[in-house]
Amino acid sequence: MIPSSAFSLSMTLQCGQCFRFFEENGVFLGVANGRLLKIEQTDRFIRFFDMTQEEFQAVWANYFDCATDYDALHTLFSNDQTLCSAIEKTGGIRVLRQDGFETLISFLISQNNNIPRITKSINLLCERFGSRIAPDTFAFPDAKTLASASLSDFSGLSLGYRDRYLLDAAQKVSSGEIDLSKLYTCPIEEARQTLRTICGVGPKVAECVLLYGFARLSCVPMDTWMKKVMARYYQAGLPEEILPYAGIAQQYLFHYARCFDTF
DNA sequence: CCCCAGGGTAGGG
DNA sequence: CCCTACCATGGG
């Protein structure tokens, strides 16, 4: 269990950073790290169902980024007026530490797309190519499996023109042409450059992959909503002192603009 | 019919 | 460097 202060499970799982959780009577079910996760938020705690302390420490503490002091970040961010307002509504969001390859594929699908359709495509992709880990539950497929597919194998997943992007990404990772493990710590510009050799990875998708998949917290995905926020509130850029954690600030501002502000 | 969706690419100035 | 048309697909 995790204390609930400054932690909103529903916002964290539904703010558009991950796509494999759904809510049923207040309980969230989903798949990450090749495991089925059942989890709920009570008044004071986040409760993990069917979970040993060992598994929580080995897998999920990292996934939910329990080591980061979000209260300290809120204090830092609150010096800024707009972020202060955003945090009032969205401060329970945590930036998840997701699998790098899954994040890469997921945000290739996200381009010029909407969240319900992204979710649908990803679930269909897992059903077709992922290993079955429980009834009607499938893990995210690995790079080798996707790389061995052909374009026609992707039909019916509502990927549109993005099918060849997935294949290119899977082949570059599977062949070793791209070593994703380097992206955690290599210089950030090198990480961006590496990802952008993949067809369909531009500036925005690269930032998403690095932030959500490789814990590069300085990365700021500039989607249509964040562009509106920047134009309206930050024409001179984000405050200097938050830049090392700008990705987390971005998550608050993105969700604030999308769900609470009127643009 | 239009527009938009967590954009990127190719092609032309 | 900039700008624009186009890219599949579904929902409003």
Side-chain angles (χ1 to χ4, degrees), chain A residues 48-65:
Chain A
F48 291 72
F49 291 88
D50 310 318
M51 174 80 51
T52 63
Q53 192 62 229
E54 288 73 23
E55 180 180 349
F56 172 77
Q57 288 299 339
V59 179
W60 302 107
N62 176 66
Y63 185 75
F64 288 98
D65 196 18

Side-chain angles (χ1 to χ4, degrees), chain A residues 29-115:
Chain A
L29 288 166
V31 181
N33 299 309
R35 300 159 188 256
L36 177 63
L37 182 62
K38 184 177 176 183
I39 186 172
E40 74 172 352
Q41 179 157 24
T42 65
D43 290 345
R44 299 171 56 83
F45 294 103
I46 308 293
R47 175 182 293 133
F48 291 72
F49 291 88
D50 310 318
M51 174 80 51
T52 63
Q53 192 62 229
E54 288 73 23
E55 180 180 349
F56 172 77
Q57 288 299 339
V59 179
W60 302 107
N62 176 66
Y63 185 75
F64 288 98
D65 196 18
C66 292
T68 294
D69 185 350
Y70 273 74
D71 288 332
L73 289 179
H74 291 181
T75 302
L76 176 65
F77 292 172
S78 292
N79 293 324
D80 177 79
Q81 195 61 45
T82 306
L83 263 171
C84 194
S85 305
I87 287 172
E88 263 182 58
K89 304 276 192 184
T90 66
I93 298 174
R94 300 179 81 90
V95 173
L96 299 170
R97 296 190 171 211
Q98 301 179 66
D99 175 75
F101 180 70
E102 175 172 346
T103 309
L104 170 59
I105 297 300
S106 297
F107 282 90
L108 276 171
I109 295 172
S110 81
Q111 74 146 0
N112 200 21
N113 207 343
N114 56 61
I115 291 177

Side-chain angles (χ1 to χ4, degrees), chain A residues 167-260:
Chain A
L167 197 54
D168 186 54
Q171 287 172 348
K172 283 189 165 73
V173 172
S174 178
S175 69
E177 181 179 337
I178 289 180
D179 181 1
L180 290 180
S181 69
K182 290 181 176 172
L183 301 184
Y184 290 100
T185 54
C186 76
I188 195 64
E189 279 307 327
E190 182 184 325
R192 292 186 171 107
Q193 212 169 356
T194 299
L195 283 170
R196 290 192 53 177
T197 63
I198 297 167
C199 192
V201 177
K204 191 268 177 181
V205 170
E207 298 300 282
C208 286
V209 174
L210 290 170
L211 176 61
Y212 305 129
F214 295 93
R216 306 302 295 257
L217 301 185
S218 69
C219 290
V220 178
M222 278 296 166
D223 75 308
T224 49
W225 287 102
M226 264 309 282
K227 286 175 183 169
K228 290 181 193 176
V229 170
M230 295 303 289
R232 178 161 158 186
Y233 297 110
Y234 298 104
Q235 293 191 22
L238 293 170
E240 193 79 27
E241 61 270 24
I242 75 160
L243 291 186
Y245 311 97
I248 296 177
Q250 171 273 153
Q251 199 60 33
Y252 297 146
L253 294 168
F254 166 77
H255 198 251
Y256 181 60
R258 209 169 73 94
C259 299
F260 296 103

